[in-house]
Amino acid sequence: MDGVYVPLITPFAADGSPAWDVLEKLAFDLLDAGASGLVALGTTAEPAALSDAERRGVLDVVARVCRERGARLLVGANTPAQLAEVPPDAAAALTLVPPFQRPGEDGVVAHFAALAAAAPVPLVVYHVPYRTGQQLSAAALRRLAAIDGVIGIKYATGAVDADAVALLADPPPGFTVLCGDDVFLSPMLALGAAGGILASAHLETAAFVALADAWRAGDAARARPLGRRLARLSAAAFAQPNPTVIKAALHAAGQIPTPDVRLPLLPAVDGLAPHLYGSLLE
């Protein structure tokens, strides 16, 4: 499960419908640029704003591309009903820590144990406490790692914190730690993370892959300046609600037909897209 995974946007046509051919081409382009795999129906895809038919269409397109390229597919799926729709050949489901309820660490562990027992594919825990409201200690993360069928974590706490350091200092066997905060990718890789799930990698996929490869090879002299540059890119990409800036940059580059997003998101305010569009031309 190591490497760079890109959580795909859902591009929209001028009439507001998903641009299926554009989604397919974008998926192929990202894999051809070196991404290890793709995430379908992650947060970046705006899944809550898609109809059931649109969600199935996104999953069908991305799954087919991954099969054709022999790439790993992760699917955003948080409920038993959603998990039942994940293709059995997917590498994993990306499953959010229960949001809003704040069930405590014991409740989170019990929740994932129940989901993993019934899921058709392994689970990657999506830990993003500034969205869910639920903190998890390093000890709780190790309990999750011990569940049969839980194979990794998207770690997105908004910091390179003490729990990340403790987890990566002695990683559980067979448990993959993927950075989920794009701006912290380089330090997380330096600590031993296996890769990342990175919306910013829509823009400079090959550079993000090169950064992961450099840290894996122990080439700090190459990794540090590249990591600093990509951290600045990621900070710009997330300066407004994701994926608005990324869509604006891809549209400016002619890669998607519109920069449109669906409510409750609003299109990015002008100013950042030209800088990010320039990064696509480097």
Side-chain angles (χ1 to χ4, degrees):
M1 288 289 295
D2 60 328
V4 170
Y5 295 81
V6 185
L8 275 165
I9 63 162
T10 303
F12 296 120
D15 66 0
S17 64
W20 301 116
D21 56 337
V22 177
L23 176 63
E24 179 183 63
K25 184 178 186 305
L26 182 60
F28 276 122
D29 288 347
L30 293 168
L31 293 176
D32 289 344
S36 296
L38 302 172
V39 181
L41 300 175
T43 307
T44 306
E46 304 171 69
L50 301 177
S51 69
D52 289 345
E54 289 171 336
R55 286 174 56 91
R56 288 192 294 272
V58 167
L59 183 53
D60 288 346
V61 169
V62 182
R64 176 168 47 79
V65 170
C66 285
R67 290 186 192 108
E68 289 190 25
R69 284 290 188 269
R72 300 186 192 102
L73 170 69
L74 278 67
V75 180
N78 302 314
T79 67
Q82 291 172 355
L83 285 165
E85 296 180 354
V86 176
D89 60 344
L94 180 63
T95 305
L96 187 65
V97 169
F100 189 73
Q101 293 176 293
R102 300 174 66 184
E105 292 184 344
D106 289 346
V108 171
V109 173
H111 172 76
F112 275 98
L115 284 182
V121 296
L123 305 183
V124 171
V125 175
Y126 185 7
H127 178 37
V128 55
Y130 52 84
R131 292 179 183 266
T132 65
Q134 178 63 63
Q135 299 288 337
L136 295 173
S137 65
L141 298 177
R142 292 185 186 282
R143 291 171 63 194
L144 289 171
I147 296 172
D148 187 26
V150 174
I151 62 170
I153 187 168
K154 178 182 178 182
Y155 196 89
T157 65
V160 181
D161 54 25
D163 291 321
V165 173
L167 185 66
L168 289 167
D170 183 22
F175 186 72
T176 300
V177 179
L178 297 168
C179 177
D181 283 310
D182 300 26
V183 73
F184 297 124
L185 176 63
S186 191
M188 287 289 285
L189 290 169
L191 286 169
I197 297 176
L198 311 163
S200 303
H202 279 88
L203 305 180
E204 288 202 41
T205 314
F208 281 97
V209 172
L211 177 61
D213 289 345
W215 277 119
R216 189 176 300 111
D219 188 353
R222 180 184 177 212
R224 286 182 180 130
L226 182 56
R228 288 192 290 268
R229 183 173 73 80
L230 292 178
R232 292 192 295 270
L233 176 73
S234 295
F238 280 84
Q240 298 178 44
N242 185 52
T244 62
V245 177
I246 289 169
K247 280 191 163 185
L250 292 173
H251 175 61
Q255 292 185 248
I256 60 175
T258 73
D260 295 350
V261 290
R262 289 183 178 174
L263 291 171
L265 295 173
L266 295 173
V269 176
D270 290 343
L272 289 174
H275 161 65
L276 296 177
Y277 168 54
S279 77
L280 292 170
L281 304 181
E282 293 177 355

